[in-house]
Amino acid sequence: MDHNVRRTDITDKVYGKMDQGSMSLYLNKDKIGNIRFTNQGNLYEMGEGFEFDGDKIYRQDSGSAPKAQGQQQLVDDCEFGWC
């Protein structure tokens, strides 16, 4: 990970939906990742700009970090989608 990229813990804002043996992860209404359940353990597949580390989910907070697919941010620090 680039040490110039700040991370924000978004674990409490993420929710999951079961989807055919895996769990899709969402932030607001945007899909940010997927958890596949295997015999060897859980496999976390996070979208660009998001990461799973130490049982927490983080969003990368740099000007160059991609946003979740379909997300358009017009105002900085707007996490609730109504800004």
Side-chain angles (χ1 to χ4, degrees):
M1 183 178 101
D2 184 355
H3 294 290
N4 295 327
V5 176
R6 293 184 324 156
R7 301 186 313 172
T8 300
D9 181 355
I10 59 168
T11 306
D12 293 341
K13 298 175 184 175
V14 174
Y15 64 95
K17 291 183 181 179
M18 293 301 295
D19 183 27
Q20 300 178 5
S22 66
M23 182 179 291
S24 296
L25 300 174
Y26 293 88
L27 176 63
N28 298 320
K29 295 180 181 180
D30 297 314
K31 184 175 179 181
I32 63 167
N34 193 46
I35 304 172
R36 287 192 297 148
F37 305 108
T38 70
N39 292 336
Q40 292 79 29
N42 298 341
L43 177 62
Y44 293 82
E45 301 168 335
M46 302 305 296
E48 288 188 56
F50 298 92
E51 66 180 285
F52 178 82
D53 184 23
D55 293 332
K56 300 270 184 185
I57 299 173
Y58 295 94
R59 178 183 60 211
Q60 296 174 352
D61 293 329
S62 74
S64 62
K67 295 181 179 21
Q69 185 177 23
Q71 180 179 1
Q72 180 181 12
Q73 183 171 340
L74 302 175
V75 179
D76 288 338
D77 298 325
C78 177
E79 298 175 359
F80 301 105
W82 49 265
C83 297

